[in-house]
Amino acid sequence: FLPNLQEIHVSFCERLQELFDYFPGEVPTSASVVPALRVIKLRNLPRLRRLCSQEESWGCLEHVEVISCNLLRNLPISANDALGVKEVRGETHWWNNLTWDDNTTRETLQPRFIAADGNIPTGSLGMSCYQSSNTIEEAFPISSLPESQAEELL
């Protein structure tokens, strides 16, 4: 039980399969193993499958970063706790393969997801803007539209 831990960074631990490995009863059933954790950054953990051994929710999480941890399939975040999360950063294929206890959690976190690889996640809402285009004509050339629509715009 780590009641004061607020931030953890774990990188390049090739054998790590579970971040917090403990037996039932070591942590009170109503408590989280890390009740004050706000920031978690995980990088290059190819065998990591779970963050904790019990189903729990880390209610204070604000920032989550998961890079090159492709076997990690769920996050200890409930629908209620998702409202406090400010940012989830990770690779798009990891995000798209996460499993959720309910769709509300994913829907709440979706706008807070930042793709570390620059791809757009599946099922995302909203528009993408590209800075390479300075004008709307460069981004969406009128010449590519049917003639009737192009005339309306000109």
Side-chain angles (χ1 to χ4, degrees):
F1 187 59
L2 304 166
N4 299 319
L5 184 66
Q6 293 186 21
E7 190 164 327
I8 187 166
H9 299 228
V10 182
S11 300
F12 298 99
C13 296
E14 291 185 17
R15 294 185 184 172
L16 184 67
Q17 293 181 13
E18 190 169 330
L19 187 59
F20 296 107
D21 188 11
Y22 53 90
F23 295 106
E26 286 183 314
V27 176
T29 55
S30 62
S32 164
V33 69
V34 286
L37 190 67
R38 294 181 310 99
V39 177
I40 185 165
K41 293 186 178 187
L42 307 170
R43 288 181 168 259
N44 299 301
L45 307 170
R47 293 186 183 173
L48 183 67
R49 292 185 177 276
R50 296 189 308 189
L51 297 180
C52 52
S53 58
Q54 293 181 357
E55 288 187 23
E56 60 181 67
S57 184
W58 296 350
C60 291
L61 269 182
E62 296 175 1
H63 298 278
V64 177
E65 181 177 295
V66 179
I67 308 291
S68 296
C69 304
N70 298 329
L71 297 180
L72 183 64
R73 294 285 182 240
N74 57 31
L75 297 173
I77 302 172
S78 70
N80 289 338
D81 296 334
L83 296 171
V85 176
K86 296 176 182 172
E87 175 183 286
V88 177
R89 182 180 298 269
E91 294 144 320
T92 307
H93 65 89
W94 167 77
W95 174 261
N96 290 338
N97 288 313
L98 282 174
T99 58
W100 305 94
D101 289 337
D102 59 60
N103 215 22
T104 305
T105 306
R106 179 184 169 87
E107 289 170 1
T108 302
L109 293 176
Q110 182 72 53
R112 297 171 175 120
F113 176 70
I114 298 171
D117 53 12
N119 292 325
I120 299 169
T122 306
S124 65
L125 304 172
M127 277 179 42
S128 298
C129 298
Y130 300 98
Q131 291 184 341
S132 61
S133 300
N134 294 322
T135 66
I136 200 99
E137 168 63 26
E138 289 175 18
F140 305 99
I142 291 175
S143 58
S144 68
L145 296 173
E147 190 173 303
S148 60
Q149 289 180 337
E151 289 175 1
E152 287 177 26
L153 293 174
L154 295 173

